[in-house]
C-alpha cells in the first residue's frame, strides 16, 4: 500500500470512488448527483492537497486536506477520506487518516476537524475515535440520510 | 430601521463595516488583511443572499445567508452579521438575526448554524442564546484571538 500526492491526471481513477460514495448519500455532504467536473473542483482543485492510496498500481482510496476556516481559524484543517467499496476493511482509512495527520503537521496545522459526521456512520465514528478524535459537538438532525431521514451529525476534533 | 436585500452596488457602503470588523480579528474567521475584492466575493457573491440594514438612507449593518453544507446537509443554513461600530447597541444585530430566520424559512431551510463563535465574543453568545440558539459544541482552541491567543469556539444551532 502506497500513499502519494495526487495530480489532476489521477482524477479518472478517483472519480469512480467519489461517485460510488457520494451517489449513495449516506456519508458526505455533497449532492448525490455531483458531476465529474464538480467533483474535480471539490476534491482536487479547491483543497490544499489531495492524496491517493495505491496497491499494485491501482488507486483504491483518496483523501483531501484543506484549511477549515480562514484567518483566526486557519490553524485547523479538515480532511475527507474515501475508499473504494472493493477495498474496504483493509486498513486504508486508518492509513489515510494517520498519513493526513503527518501531512497536517508538516503544513503547520495544530488541529484537525471533521464538520459533519453522520451519526449513522458508526464505522467511521468508531475509527476516528480510535485514532484519537474527540466528539466535541452534536448537530441535531443536521444530516439528511437517504433511508433514515434526518439524523444527528457529529463534529469530531483532534490536536495533532 | 429598514432591512433590505443588498446588491453589488451597496458594497461600497458594506466594505467599511466589513473591514472594520475583520481587521480587528476578534470575531470572524476571515484573514485580517482581506482585500475589498475578496470581501465582495465572501460577503456578496458567494452567499445565497446578502442584506443590509439602513437608517436614514445609510447602511449600518449587513448580513449574508448561505447553505452551510451541500447535499445531505443542505437543509441547514449559515449566516454572518456585522454592525458598524457607530451603530452598536441599537438592536441591529437582533433585527438582522430575526430577519434572517424568516428569510431562512422562506428559502426552505430547517435550521441555522453558526460554525465558529469565539468564546470571547460574549455579547454575541448572549444575544444568540437569547434568540433561541443552542450551543451544541465547543471546539478547543479553534479561534486564534489577536490578543488572547487560542481560545475555544462555540458551534451554535437553532431549528427555525
Amino acid at each position: 500500500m502506497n500513499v502519494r500526492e495526487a495530480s489532476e491526471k489521477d482524477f479518472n481513477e478517483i472519480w469512480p470512488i467519489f461517485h460510488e460514495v457520494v451517489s449513495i448519500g449516506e456519508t458526505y455532504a455533497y449532492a448525490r448527483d455531483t458531476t465529474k467536473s464538480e467533483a474535480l473542483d471539490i476534491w482536487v482543485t479547491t483543497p490544499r492537497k489531495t492524496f491517493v492510496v495505491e496497491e499494485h498500481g491501482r488507486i483504491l482510496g483518496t483523501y483531501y486536506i484543506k484549511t477549515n476556516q480562514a484567518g483566526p481559524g486557519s490553524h485547523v484543517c479538515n480532511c475527507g477520506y474515501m475508499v473504494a467499496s472493493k477495498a474496504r476493511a483493509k486498513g486504508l482509512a486508518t492509513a489515510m487518516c494517520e498519513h493526513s495527520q503527518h501531512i497536517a503537521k508538516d503544513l503547520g496545522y495544530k488541529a484537525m476537524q471533521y464538520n459533519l459526521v453522520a451519526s449513522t456512520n458508526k464505522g467511521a465514528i468508531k475509527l476516528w475515535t480510535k485514532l484519537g478524535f474527540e466528539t466535541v459537538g452534536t448537530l441535531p438532525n443536521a444530516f439528511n440520510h437517504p433511508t433514515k431521514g434526518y439524523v444527528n451529525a457529529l463534529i469530531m476534533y483532534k490536536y495533532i
Side-chain angles (χ1 to χ4, degrees), chain A:
Chain A
M1 196 191 301
N2 175 44
V3 185
R4 65 163 175 85
E5 193 164 351
S7 68
E8 283 209 13
K9 68 180 164 39
D10 293 313
F11 194 69
N12 278 331
E13 277 195 84
I14 292 173
W15 164 245
I17 302 172
F18 182 99
H19 181 62
E20 181 183 34
V21 169
V22 170
S23 63
I24 294 169
E26 292 184 357
T27 51
Y28 272 87
Y30 305 132
R32 292 171 70 182
D33 59 357
T34 300
T35 64
K36 189 174 175 183
S37 72
E38 290 166 342
L40 175 66
D41 186 54
I42 288 169
W43 204 259
V44 181
T45 312
T46 302
R48 188 149 169 199
K49 285 177 184 290
T50 305
F51 291 82
V52 290
V53 194
E54 285 177 322
E55 208 173 42
H56 310 304
R58 294 291 303 272
I59 293 174
L60 298 177
T62 179
Y63 81 87
Y64 74 77
I65 182 165
K66 67 182 175 196
T67 303
N68 200 43
Q69 299 277 358
S74 63
H75 56 294
V76 181
C77 67
N78 165 252
C79 291
Y81 314 87
M82 291 183 179
V83 176
S85 59
K86 63 184 174 195
R88 302 267 162 86
K90 293 173 70 169
L92 269 70
T94 299
M96 289 195 288
C97 182
E98 289 176 340
H99 190 272
S100 70
Q101 291 180 51
H102 289 294
I103 295 292
K105 262 192 207 170
D106 288 347
L107 293 172
Y109 294 111
K110 297 186 184 305
M112 189 178 287
Q113 181 175 331
Y114 303 148
N115 296 306
L116 196 80
V117 183
S119 59
T120 43
N121 193 0
K122 302 288 185 199
I125 296 165
K126 191 174 165 186
L127 184 57
W128 308 148
T129 303
K130 185 177 155 194
L131 294 170
F133 284 78
E134 193 189 345
T135 298
V136 296
T138 301
L139 304 165
N141 296 327
F143 194 95
N144 189 6
H145 189 281
T147 59
K148 294 175 183 169
Y150 294 108
V151 299
N152 292 346
L154 309 185
I155 297 155
M156 303 186 76
Y157 194 91
K158 184 184 178 179
Y159 293 112
I160 52 176

